[in-house]
Amino acid sequence: LPISQARPLASRRRHASLKGTSSSPAASMSATLVVPSDVTIMEEKKSIGKRRLGLLEKTGLLLTAPMLHITYSKMDRGDMRAVLSKKYDAEDTSSAANLCRARQESVRKAVVATNFMWGTAGGMTGLVWWSFRRYNYQSRLVALPFVFYGGTFVGRALGDVITFRNAEFARDRFLASLPAKTYFTEN
């Protein structure tokens, strides 16, 4: 008997109902599949172990805002931690290993700069609170949100200068912005 006749009748009916909807089985699925991106697979191939995170890296990851993934175009806190916790062979001079190290260093700079962004915003807000100490609380509450918001921009620029992120190449910053996950496509 051919395989199509050997299947049970219910199975044949189920497959017959799907025949007209799409030419491929993946296109008929309603859910999308999230897979590691190419750069994540390359990092996994080139890593030789685990690397311990420093104090500023840990606090920078804690201060990173949570992310709602709709298109998986950015890295979230867990993806950054995964990039930072990989250890690479220092003697490997291949172009793939150099890309992985450059990406890791750029992600490290971005994470450490986050500390300075929030620290500067908090410090500026604290100084405004202290300088308005002789005024009533309403005047303090009017000024604080604006100073805190402006402090995040000043802190971001200050963090970029302190971590030398302002001097890195655009290629390195682009490597750090590559997403760690992507949707599966049949290409």
Side-chain angles (χ1 to χ4, degrees):
L1 289 176
I3 293 177
S4 62
Q5 293 177 354
R7 274 191 262 162
L9 181 61
S11 175
R12 278 188 278 168
R13 284 185 189 148
R14 183 173 55 241
H15 290 293
S17 67
L18 290 177
K19 280 185 184 174
T21 58
S22 174
S23 61
S24 69
S28 66
M29 296 169 41
S30 62
T32 54
L33 184 64
V34 178
V35 295
S37 65
D38 296 337
V39 70
T40 306
I41 294 170
M42 180 181 66
E43 286 174 346
E44 196 60 40
K45 283 183 180 178
K46 289 293 179 179
S47 70
I48 60 170
K50 289 262 204 210
R51 173 183 168 270
R52 284 183 54 122
L53 298 180
L55 178 65
L56 289 177
E57 293 171 347
K58 287 180 184 177
T59 56
L61 287 171
L62 281 174
L63 294 173
T64 301
M67 184 169 302
L68 175 66
H69 287 290
I70 297 173
T71 60
Y72 284 95
S73 60
K74 294 182 180 181
M75 292 201 324
D76 62 357
R77 182 184 318 177
D79 297 336
M80 289 184 200
R81 183 181 301 274
V83 169
L84 291 174
S85 64
K86 288 184 174 72
K87 186 176 184 180
Y88 301 107
D89 187 10
E91 297 175 3
D92 187 4
T93 58
S94 66
S95 60
N98 289 337
L99 282 175
C100 291
R101 282 192 290 269
R103 175 177 160 93
Q104 186 180 45
E105 181 61 22
S106 185
V107 169
R108 187 195 68 79
K109 287 178 182 180
V111 166
V112 171
T114 305
N115 293 314
F116 294 102
M117 178 185 71
W118 293 116
T120 303
M124 286 175 64
T125 305
L127 288 174
V128 166
W129 184 268
W130 182 78
S131 65
F132 281 23
R133 68 188 179 277
R134 299 197 186 276
Y135 296 94
N136 57 5
Y137 74 94
Q138 291 94 350
S139 59
R140 291 183 199 172
L141 292 179
V142 166
L144 290 184
F146 299 106
V147 172
F148 185 81
Y149 185 67
T152 60
F153 290 98
V154 174
R156 190 173 299 132
L158 184 67
D160 287 353
V161 170
I162 289 174
T163 61
F164 298 109
R165 191 167 182 246
N166 62 333
E168 74 181 350
F169 292 108
R171 181 194 92 157
D172 296 341
R173 196 170 286 205
F174 172 73
L175 283 173
S177 70
L178 288 174
K181 299 176 192 131
T182 186
Y183 288 118
F184 177 73
T185 57
E186 290 187 49
N187 293 359

